[in-house]
Every structure is written in structure tokens, then in C-alpha cells.
Amino acid sequence: KAARRTYPFISTIVFYDDNFIALPFEYLKEFALRYAQEIRLPFVVFGLHPNFITEDKIALLAEAGMNRGRMGIQSGSKKILDFYNRATTKEKIIASAEILARAARKYRMIPPAYDIISDNPLETGDDIRESLAFIYGLKRPFTLTIFSLRAFAKTALWEYFENHPENDIRFN
């Protein structure tokens, strides 16, 4: 509300929060009710995690004003998902993408966006082909947001590359 008072021209709110969708349904329900009553602007959630997307959560948010979601897929290769410690299955990613695609049609939302990570030196040609085939099989329309793999200091990924200098991407 303070942002709207200060910047009355705001037309959309963006939530960059990987855990937003992980909130319990009752919390999301309270948010949706208050947001629809008090803010009344379209909003976007960037960082939807496939493990927490459900039909009822997405419907609740769409009815409150969510007009787009962006879900992190990261890779279509099980090997690479395991490397990222991405505790989800490809089947769950597909199911969540289908929920987002249905919601986009039903609520006239902007088609969903999916995050993919590229430039992983551990990916083989087979991993890349597996990812491309996986992405190709997702319900359309959608947008891909492609990020180049980068490791940040004091993270497990940083330590991995520190211990495997033959694959080090930290300074390239």
C-alpha cells in the first residue's frame, strides 16, 4: 500500500520469491483475500517451485490477480537435476507445467515462463538433448528464461567447482 501511495502509476506487482507458493494454503488464502481487497493490481510470481504448485493454489492466486507465473525447471536431465540437488521429478515438473498452462487459459493469464540453466560443464550432449526433448514436450504456449550457470562464493556449487578444477566455471 505504501508503494502505491508513493508511486501511484504502478501497474503490476512482482514477487521474486522461490518459496511464495510453498506457503500453506490458508496463508495464501488470507493473502489472496487481502490483496484482492486492498491492492487490486495484477501481480506476477517469479520463482514458483514445481513441488508446491497445486491446482487450488494457482486458482486462488489467479482469482486474486496473479497474471503470470515463472517456474524453475533448471534442466530436463535427471542427472543434472540431481547435480543441482533439485528435489523434484520430471513428472512433477510436467504436472506443474500443465497446471500453469490450464490456469493461463482459464484465467486469461500471460503464458507461464520456465527457467532453464545453461552452460553447465558437466552436461553432456545427451543431457542437453534430454533437456531439449523435455522442454519440447511441455504444453504451449510458454516462455523460456535461460540463465547461464554461475557459482556464488560459499555455496555448495562453489565448493564443487573448487574441488573439481577441471570443470571450474567460477571465473570464466
Side-chain angles (χ1 to χ4, degrees), residues 7-71:
Y7 307 103
F9 53 84
I10 290 174
S11 61
T12 300
I13 304 296
V14 178
F15 294 100
Y16 283 94
D17 185 347
D18 290 351
N19 294 315
F20 188 89
I21 197 72
L23 291 169
F25 185 80
E26 290 306 314
Y27 285 32
L28 289 176
K29 190 174 179 181
E30 181 181 344
F31 162 81
L33 178 65
R34 291 190 64 195
Y35 188 92
Q37 290 174 346
E38 299 176 26
I39 307 301
R40 298 183 307 275
L41 285 176
F43 68 92
V44 180
V45 180
F46 290 153
L48 296 171
H49 192 292
N51 284 357
F52 300 104
I53 291 174
T54 63
E55 203 87 45
D56 57 343
K57 284 183 174 183
I58 296 300
L60 181 71
L61 294 174
E63 290 169 6
M66 183 175 79
N67 68 355
R68 187 174 203 188
R70 192 174 90 197
M71 178 175 73

Side-chain angles (χ1 to χ4, degrees), residues 65-80:
M66 183 175 79
N67 68 355
R68 187 174 203 188
R70 192 174 90 197
M71 178 175 73
I73 291 176
Q74 314 330 349
S75 177
S77 162
K78 180 176 178 350
K79 179 186 97 181
I80 299 302

Side-chain angles (χ1 to χ4, degrees), residues 98-116:
E98 288 176 358
I99 289 170
L100 293 173
R102 279 193 300 274
R105 286 189 298 279
K106 181 176 181 178
Y107 297 101
R108 301 179 147 214
M109 297 165 61
I110 299 166
Y114 304 125
D115 296 348
I116 298 293

Side-chain angles (χ1 to χ4, degrees), residues 83 119-121 148-172:
F83 172 75
D119 299 326
N120 183 330
S148 183
L149 180 64
R150 292 294 174 257
F152 295 97
K154 299 184 181 181
T155 64
L157 193 59
W158 181 275
E159 289 176 21
Y160 172 85
F161 287 117
E162 199 164 65
N163 294 321
H164 297 86
E166 68 279 8
N167 295 319
D168 199 343
I169 60 154
R170 294 175 301 156
F171 305 109
N172 294 338

